[in-house]
Amino acid sequence: MAIDKKQVEEIVQAVGGKENIEAATHCVTRLRFALYDESKVDAESLDQNDLVKGQFSSQGQFQVVIGPGLVDKVYDEMIQITGGDRSSKDDVKAVAGKKQNPIQRAIKTLSDIFIPILPAIITAGLLLGINNILTGPGIFFDGKSLVDVYPAWKDLASIINTIASTAFTFLPALIGWAAVKRFGGSPLLGIVLGLILVHPDLLSAYGYADAVNNGTVPTWNLFGWEIEKIGYQGQVLPVLVSAYLLAKMEIFLNRRVHDSIKLLVVAPVTLLVTGFLAFTIIGPVTFGIANAITSGLIYVYDSYAALGGLIYGGLYALLVITGMHHTFLAVDVQLIGSQGGTFLWPMLALSNIAQGSAALAMMLVLREKKMRGLAATSSVSAFLGVTEPAIFGVNIRYRYPFIFGMIGSAIGGVLLTMNNVQATSIGVGGIPGFLSIFPNKWGVFFIGMAIVLVVPFVLTVIFGRAKLRKEDRSESDGPAAESKAMTSNSASGVASSTTASNPDADTHKRSRSEAQVGDEPVNTLEVMAPLTGKAVSLEQVPDPAFAEKQMGEGVAIEPSGNVVVAPFDAQVAHVIKSKHAVILEHASGLQVLIHVGINTVSLKGEGFNMHVEAGERVKAGQKLLEFDRKVIEDAGYPLITPIIIPDGQDMVDRVEVTTGDVTSNQNGVLKVHLKG
């Protein structure tokens, strides 16, 4: 497809001109800019550009979604227009990182540390929720638990509790692994460091208060220097600071110790020095700081419960937008470790539901079919604890549903804090979040859940419909307004949406001839699953470019295996250099993008093994590429794999999506109806 140079020039001007571009690169789907001043971006101009499928800013990068196959041509043309140098993804990421202030960099660091270990913590939280159901008194029987009435279940509950509590018991090891890796050291040493801090020979941090009261705190005597012999179970700060020191010391020694003796010097010296400092200086100091922070939060919670619930419950969704919500994972973990429960997590769960309810209400407000579908699917995702599709895809776009969601969650937050509702663990947010709540507070939590379901939904529907009626009256004031409305509708694709929602409307306008593919005429192409796993809607992909269908219709697969195969007989149109994505072209001319993981371009091909080359012909079921799940997961990137029918292909009439469990080359996931 030829590129209109004028449209590329308009993209350059829309991002503030070439003088506003500090660095620019591209991946398989989008242009990535590090801009001097993002306030100069003309978002409206970008929206009107036919090459642009979407735009958003993330972690200091301004991203313009173009689509697969086309983005590299747009990038080449842009480089010629601007005369700039080609940059790598790391170059742009480094430049973007410098633009972040110290607070933003600190937040990103905490996110990078806690996101990789989040699955283990959430799993532990869910299992502890099951244990709560079995052992909580008053849930099924008056004043008694299920295991009290049926003792045969007691040992089962005990096993579940042991499995569930392991992640929290050895939390410093998990944090040590993730933190040392983030700071550039050896993850294995991070694990060992974390285990050192919870060694069985140490007094458990959970028993420290009682030992102080009883005067039985054990100590080490180092030539007259008394050091408390305590562990750091449930603590975050001691292992974070120690991990930073360990990583920097390991890097320092690796640069200066000769290769022949590195094995004998680097790891032993690093662990010995870091461990010693952790017990003598870092641990006691950070333990005191952590306890002071915890005491401060508890004081606010005890003294101004309603105000705390109003602020945190109402503003949590804003924290999600800034990324600061990951910071509070550390606070939740600290509260659970030191106090046995957290009053923050229940408000998070209600905030998830509130944003989902507001997004669901937009189904009754919006007229455009595609956006109604996005509102429905993203609301379900929010009800299950993942709010990004609802917030970024729907609520922020229209603003008022986002605000009403915050109002609902603020009211719910006040209710929870006034009634001392706490969670025993960090589990899944949204509706399943009740599993993490102390069972004796389920009643209050369910009332809060009803509030955040009803309030945002009702307010959004009432305000949204009133807004639509006002716009309709405005548009009917005269011919000029009507002309403007028609132009607006055309630009936003409303007219094409109406046709798509009623495919029979233009049946008589289209030729009934079929696309000829070899000797077999076809007008419908079934795209088989290229991976084994679970097919889900695009809205569940944690990336707005895919979730908002900015590149086109499609489906995503949460893989259970690690092999990608051809979903039909095809020619390999394009192989991405970083080997994480491939574009196939059917004999009809239809192109399909298979993109393994999210942001996996940053791995630069590590963990991927491509078995085909551009121009090669492949048969359905033939192996295209393999990927190392551990490498991707250890890097903190989601494995979910979008399969996209890129926009702009004239032969596509409509696309049907099938979800559920799939086996590669055995189940269809997409049915593409081709025009005559």
Side-chain angles (χ1 to χ4, degrees), residues 12 38-39 108 120 123 169 312 397 423 434 453 502 535 547 578 661:
V12 174
E38 282 195 14
S39 66
K108 185 179 183 303
T123 299
T169 301
Y312 188 76
R397 180 177 296 186
F434 79 91
L453 281 169
N502 184 13
S578 47
D661 293 334

Side-chain angles (χ1 to χ4, degrees), residues 564 575-582 594 596 600-601 604-612 624-627:
V564 178
V575 172
I576 309 306
K577 288 182 180 179
S578 47
K579 304 177 184 178
H580 70 289
V582 61
I594 304 173
V596 178
T600 43
V601 62
K604 298 181 179 179
E606 182 186 359
F608 292 94
N609 184 19
M610 187 66 69
H611 292 280
V612 295
L624 299 176
L625 67 94
E626 293 178 278
F627 55 91

Side-chain angles (χ1 to χ4, degrees), residues 386-466:
V386 181
T387 55
E388 280 79 0
I391 289 177
F392 292 105
V394 180
N395 296 352
I396 284 294
R397 180 177 296 186
Y398 297 97
R399 293 187 178 85
Y400 63 90
F402 181 72
I403 294 171
F404 291 141
M406 289 197 297
I407 291 173
S409 61
I411 297 171
V414 171
L415 175 71
L416 297 189
T417 52
M418 291 292 289
N419 289 276
N420 193 30
V421 177
Q422 296 195 33
T424 60
S425 60
I426 300 173
V428 175
I431 293 174
F434 79 91
L435 290 172
S436 297
I437 307 300
F438 281 97
N440 64 331
K441 296 294 183 179
W442 279 5
V444 178
F445 185 78
F446 288 144
I447 294 173
M449 193 182 293
I451 290 173
V452 296
L453 281 169
V454 174
V455 171
F457 187 90
V458 172
L459 291 178
T460 300
V461 170
I462 293 174
F463 182 87
R465 287 187 170 177

Side-chain angles (χ1 to χ4, degrees), residues 649-668:
Q649 302 188 76
D650 295 336
M651 77 285 292
V652 178
D653 185 1
R654 67 184 192 279
V655 179
E656 295 179 17
V657 177
T658 302
T659 58
D661 293 334
V662 293
T663 302
S664 64
N665 202 39
Q666 291 188 24
N667 304 102

